[in-house]
Amino acid sequence: MQEGGTAWLRGPFLLALAAAFLGTAAYRLSLPAIAFFARSVLGSSMVELGFFTTAFFAARAITAVLTGRRADRGLRAGLAAAICFLAHAGVVASYVLATSWLHVILLRALQGALNGVAWTAIQIAVGAKVPHAVRGRAFSIYFFLGSLGAFAGSALYSCLAGSPLEHAALLSAAFLVLTALLAVRLGRVSPAGGRGGGSSSAAPARRAGRAGSRGDALLIASISSISLCSRALSSLLV
């Protein structure tokens, strides 16, 4: 692959872009629907909604770090991400069966754990499969598509506002299944120091992914704690 060419814009990278768009859209579509369901149907308090957020991000931070460590020894990134997205689709569809805030918080924690594996695996695969010279551009495009997906998911939910949770949950699950079909073709990331032409290029990406996952863990823990405290305080003041 020529680092100065545009071959990196095709193949696995396009699959990663499509996965970033669809997967983020699925998450943003289900997020407000679940919060509205928990608040209006299950009667969850603001403090309990804060626990939903904390459970998700805490679980995601833990599995993101573990996935980054596992990638150092080699990782079937595409397969791992695909399995997690398929499981995530099942979790989102299961929200319609929730009857208490405890069910929701457990499902949110499971969602976070699956997200931590899936997105870390995809980002490591992106870094390993594009030339070092264009890696910055590749990640910029990747995150831009993810932002577009978030906007699309929020816009789609606005069209479904007032509909039963089943509509948003099933549509989100369908998007996640499509994301899994895209992710499975991303292939494997070679272990550090292992054989294969891509191992030397992949090593910096793994180190960056691992360091990034640790940074995300600290940042997410801080944000979650602040969010929980602020929501608890607002609940007490109301």
Side-chain angles (χ1 to χ4, degrees):
M1 182 182 294
Q2 297 296 321
E3 293 199 359
T6 59
W8 61 275
L9 287 170
R10 300 190 290 272
F13 183 63
L14 285 182
L15 295 175
L17 293 183
F21 180 85
L22 279 176
T24 309
Y27 173 72
R28 290 298 304 176
L29 170 61
S30 65
L31 183 63
I34 293 167
F36 181 78
F37 171 78
R39 182 70 171 161
S40 63
V41 177
L42 301 181
S44 298
S45 65
M46 292 299 295
V47 173
E48 290 168 348
L49 290 179
F51 276 120
F52 300 158
T53 303
T54 302
F56 176 89
F57 285 114
R60 191 177 78 170
I62 293 171
T63 56
V65 172
L66 295 177
T67 303
R69 290 175 61 87
R70 180 64 182 84
D72 288 340
R73 301 192 300 273
L75 177 68
R76 292 185 177 181
L79 181 61
I83 291 173
C84 288
F85 283 128
L86 287 175
H88 194 175
V91 171
V92 171
S94 298
Y95 276 106
V96 300
L97 303 176
T99 58
S100 71
W101 75 275
L102 182 59
H103 295 160
V104 176
I105 199 171
L106 291 175
L107 290 173
R108 288 292 286 163
L110 184 54
Q111 267 190 291
L114 294 169
N115 266 269
V117 176
W119 290 119
T120 302
I122 286 182
Q123 289 163 21
I124 291 174
V126 169
K129 292 179 182 297
V130 300
H132 179 75
V134 297
R135 195 165 288 154
R137 277 177 282 169
F139 276 113
S140 296
I141 298 171
Y142 171 85
F143 287 113
F144 175 71
L145 263 292
S147 298
L148 284 183
F151 174 78
S154 298
L156 188 55
Y157 174 74
S158 68
C159 298
L160 296 175
S163 300
L165 174 63
E166 289 87 344
H167 294 177
L170 293 178
L171 185 57
S172 177
F175 283 175
L176 288 167
V177 171
L178 292 176
T179 306
L181 296 177
L182 294 168
V184 75
R185 297 178 60 85
L186 290 177
R188 177 182 175 85
V189 175
S190 301
R195 293 179 298 175
S199 60
S200 61
S201 174
R206 280 192 298 270
R207 289 194 294 267
R210 185 171 173 178
S213 64
R214 288 174 174 172
D216 286 346
L218 294 175
L219 179 61
I220 288 167
S222 300
I223 293 174
S224 299
S225 300
I226 294 171
S227 174
L228 178 60
C229 291
S230 63
R231 290 182 181 184
L233 181 61
S234 64
S235 178
L236 293 173
L237 294 177
V238 172

